[in-house]
Coordinates of all heavy atoms in Angstrom, one line a residue:
V115 N 80.8 52.9 101.7 CA 80.6 52.0 102.6 C 80.2 52.7 104.0 O 80.9 53.5 104.4 CB 81.8 51.1 102.9 CG1 81.5 50.1 103.9 CG2 82.1 50.4 101.6
S116 N 79.0 52.3 104.6 CA 78.7 52.9 105.9 C 79.5 52.6 107.0 O 79.8 53.3 108.0 CB 77.2 52.7 106.2 OG 77.1 51.2 106.4
R117 N 79.9 51.3 107.1 CA 80.9 51.0 108.2 C 82.2 50.5 107.6 O 82.7 49.4 107.6 CB 80.1 49.7 109.0 CG 78.9 50.0 109.6 CD 78.2 48.9 110.3 NE 77.2 49.3 111.0 CZ 76.0 48.5 111.0 NH1 76.1 47.3 110.5 NH2 74.9 48.9 111.5
R118 N 82.9 51.6 107.3 CA 84.2 51.4 106.6 C 85.2 50.6 107.4 O 86.0 49.8 106.7 CB 84.8 52.9 106.3 CG 84.0 53.6 105.3 CD 84.6 54.9 105.0 NE 83.7 55.7 104.2 CZ 82.9 56.8 104.5 NH1 83.1 57.2 105.7 NH2 82.2 57.3 103.7
H119 N 85.3 50.7 108.7 CA 86.1 50.0 109.4 C 86.1 48.5 109.2 O 87.1 47.7 109.5 CB 86.1 50.4 110.9 CG 84.8 50.0 111.6 ND1 83.7 50.6 111.3 CD2 84.6 48.9 112.4 CE1 82.7 50.0 112.1 NE2 83.3 48.9 112.6
R120 N 84.9 48.0 108.9 CA 84.8 46.6 108.7 C 85.3 46.1 107.4 O 85.5 44.9 107.3 CB 83.2 46.2 108.7 CG 82.7 46.6 110.1 CD 81.3 46.0 110.2 NE 80.8 46.0 111.6 CZ 79.5 45.6 112.0 NH1 78.7 45.0 111.0 NH2 79.2 45.7 113.2
V121 N 85.6 46.9 106.4 CA 86.0 46.4 105.2 C 87.5 46.7 105.0 O 88.2 46.2 104.1 CB 85.2 46.9 104.0 CG1 83.9 46.4 104.0 CG2 85.3 48.5 103.8
M122 N 88.2 47.6 105.8 CA 89.5 48.1 105.5 C 90.5 46.8 105.5 O 90.4 46.0 106.4 CB 90.0 49.1 106.6 CG 89.3 50.4 106.4 SD 89.8 51.1 104.8 CE 88.4 52.0 104.5
G123 N 91.3 46.9 104.5 CA 92.2 45.6 104.3 C 91.6 44.4 103.5 O 92.4 43.7 103.1
G124 N 90.4 44.4 103.5 CA 89.6 43.3 102.8 C 89.7 43.6 101.2 O 90.1 44.5 100.8
L125 N 89.4 42.5 100.5 CA 89.5 42.5 99.1 C 88.1 42.3 98.5 O 87.3 41.5 98.9 CB 90.3 41.4 98.6 CG 91.9 41.2 99.0 CD1 92.5 40.0 98.5 CD2 92.6 42.5 98.6
R126 N 87.7 43.3 97.5 CA 86.5 43.0 97.0 C 86.5 41.7 96.1 O 87.6 41.3 95.8 CB 86.2 44.2 96.0 CG 86.1 45.5 96.5 CD 86.1 46.7 95.4 NE 86.2 47.8 95.8 CZ 87.3 48.6 96.2 NH1 88.5 48.0 96.1 NH2 87.1 49.8 96.7
T127 N 85.4 41.2 95.8 CA 85.3 39.9 95.0 C 85.9 40.2 93.6 O 86.8 39.5 93.1 CB 84.1 39.3 95.0 OG1 83.6 38.9 96.3 CG2 83.9 38.1 94.0
T128 N 85.4 41.3 93.0 CA 85.9 41.8 91.7 C 85.7 43.3 91.8 O 85.2 43.9 92.7 CB 85.1 41.3 90.5 OG1 83.7 41.7 90.7 CG2 85.0 39.8 90.5
V129 N 86.1 44.0 90.7 CA 86.0 45.4 90.5 C 84.5 45.8 90.6 O 84.3 47.0 91.0 CB 86.8 46.0 89.4 CG1 88.3 45.9 89.6 CG2 86.4 45.5 88.2
Y130 N 83.6 45.0 90.2 CA 82.1 45.2 90.1 C 81.4 44.5 91.2 O 80.2 44.5 91.1 CB 81.7 45.0 88.7 CG 82.2 43.8 88.1 CD1 81.7 42.5 88.4 CD2 83.3 43.7 87.3 CE1 82.0 41.3 87.9 CE2 83.8 42.6 86.7 CZ 83.1 41.3 87.0 OH 83.6 40.2 86.5
D131 N 82.0 43.8 92.1 CA 81.4 43.1 93.3 C 82.0 43.3 94.5 O 83.1 42.9 94.6 CB 81.2 41.6 92.8 CG 80.5 40.8 93.9 OD1 80.1 41.4 95.0 OD2 80.3 39.5 93.7
N132 N 81.4 44.1 95.5 CA 82.0 44.6 96.6 C 82.0 43.6 97.8 O 82.3 43.9 98.7 CB 81.4 45.9 97.0 CG 81.8 47.0 96.0 OD1 82.9 47.1 95.5 ND2 80.9 47.8 95.6
A133 N 81.5 42.5 97.5 CA 81.5 41.4 98.6 C 82.9 41.1 99.0 O 83.8 41.0 98.2 CB 80.7 40.1 98.1
V134 N 83.0 41.0 100.3 CA 84.3 40.7 100.9 C 84.3 39.3 101.6 O 83.4 39.1 102.4 CB 84.8 41.7 101.9 CG1 86.0 41.4 102.6 CG2 84.8 43.2 101.3
R135 N 85.3 38.5 101.2 CA 85.4 37.1 101.8 C 86.8 37.0 102.5 O 87.7 37.5 102.0 CB 85.2 36.0 100.8 CG 83.9 35.9 100.4 CD 83.7 34.7 99.3 NE 84.7 33.8 99.2 CZ 84.7 32.7 98.4 NH1 83.7 32.6 97.6 NH2 85.6 31.8 98.4
V136 N 86.8 36.4 103.6 CA 88.0 36.4 104.4 C 89.1 35.6 103.7 O 90.2 35.8 103.8 CB 87.8 35.8 105.8 CG1 87.3 34.4 105.9 CG2 89.1 36.2 106.8
D137 N 88.8 34.6 103.0 CA 89.7 33.7 102.3 C 90.4 34.4 101.1 O 91.5 34.2 101.0 CB 89.0 32.3 101.8 CG 88.0 32.5 100.7 OD1 87.3 33.7 100.7 OD2 87.8 31.6 99.9
S138 N 89.9 35.4 100.5 CA 90.5 36.2 99.6 C 91.7 36.9 100.2 O 92.9 36.8 99.7 CB 89.6 37.3 99.0 OG 88.5 36.6 98.3
A139 N 91.5 37.6 101.3 CA 92.7 38.2 102.0 C 93.5 37.2 102.6 O 94.8 37.4 102.5 CB 92.2 39.1 103.1
G140 N 93.1 36.1 103.1 CA 94.0 35.1 103.7 C 95.0 34.5 102.6 O 96.1 34.3 103.0
H141 N 94.4 34.1 101.5 CA 95.3 33.5 100.4 C 96.2 34.5 99.9 O 97.3 34.2 99.5 CB 94.5 32.9 99.3 CG 93.7 31.6 99.8 ND1 94.4 30.6 100.1 CD2 92.4 31.3 99.9 CE1 93.6 29.6 100.4 NE2 92.4 30.1 100.3
A142 N 95.7 35.8 99.7 CA 96.7 36.9 99.3 C 97.8 37.1 100.2 O 99.0 37.2 99.8 CB 95.8 38.2 99.0
L143 N 97.5 37.1 101.5 CA 98.5 37.3 102.6 C 99.6 36.0 102.5 O 100.7 36.2 102.5 CB 97.9 37.4 103.9 CG 99.0 37.5 105.0 CD1 99.8 38.7 104.8 CD2 98.2 37.7 106.3
A144 N 98.9 34.8 102.3 CA 99.8 33.7 102.3 C 100.7 33.7 101.0 O 101.9 33.4 101.1 CB 98.9 32.3 102.2
A145 N 100.2 34.1 99.9 CA 101.0 34.4 98.6 C 102.1 35.3 98.9 O 103.3 35.1 98.6 CB 100.2 34.7 97.5
A146 N 101.8 36.4 99.6 CA 102.7 37.4 99.9 C 103.9 36.8 100.8 O 105.1 37.2 100.5 CB 102.1 38.7 100.4
L147 N 103.5 36.1 101.7 CA 104.5 35.5 102.6 C 105.4 34.5 101.8 O 106.6 34.4 102.1 CB 103.8 34.8 103.8 CG 103.3 35.9 104.8 CD1 102.4 35.0 105.8 CD2 104.2 36.6 105.5
K148 N 104.8 33.8 101.0 CA 105.6 32.8 100.2 C 106.5 33.4 99.2 O 107.6 33.0 99.0 CB 104.6 31.9 99.4 CG 103.9 30.9 100.3 CD 103.0 30.1 99.6 CE 102.4 29.0 100.3 NZ 103.1 27.7 100.3
V149 N 106.2 34.6 98.8 CA 107.1 35.5 98.0 C 108.3 36.0 98.8 O 109.5 35.8 98.5 CB 106.4 36.6 97.2 CG1 107.4 37.6 96.5 CG2 105.5 36.0 96.1
S150 N 108.0 36.5 100.0 CA 109.0 37.1 100.9 C 109.8 36.1 101.6 O 111.0 36.2 101.9 CB 108.4 38.1 101.9 OG 107.5 37.5 102.8

Side-chain angles (χ1 to χ4, degrees):
V115 177
S116 61
R117 296 183 181 139
R118 293 181 185 111
H119 67 283
R120 291 190 176 183
V121 300
M122 286 302 146
L125 302 175
R126 298 170 185 87
T127 298
T128 63
V129 294
Y130 44 83
D131 180 350
N132 293 318
V134 175
R135 286 180 21 182
V136 71
D137 62 333
S138 298
H141 288 299
L143 179 57
L147 288 171
K148 285 175 178 273
V149 168
S150 65

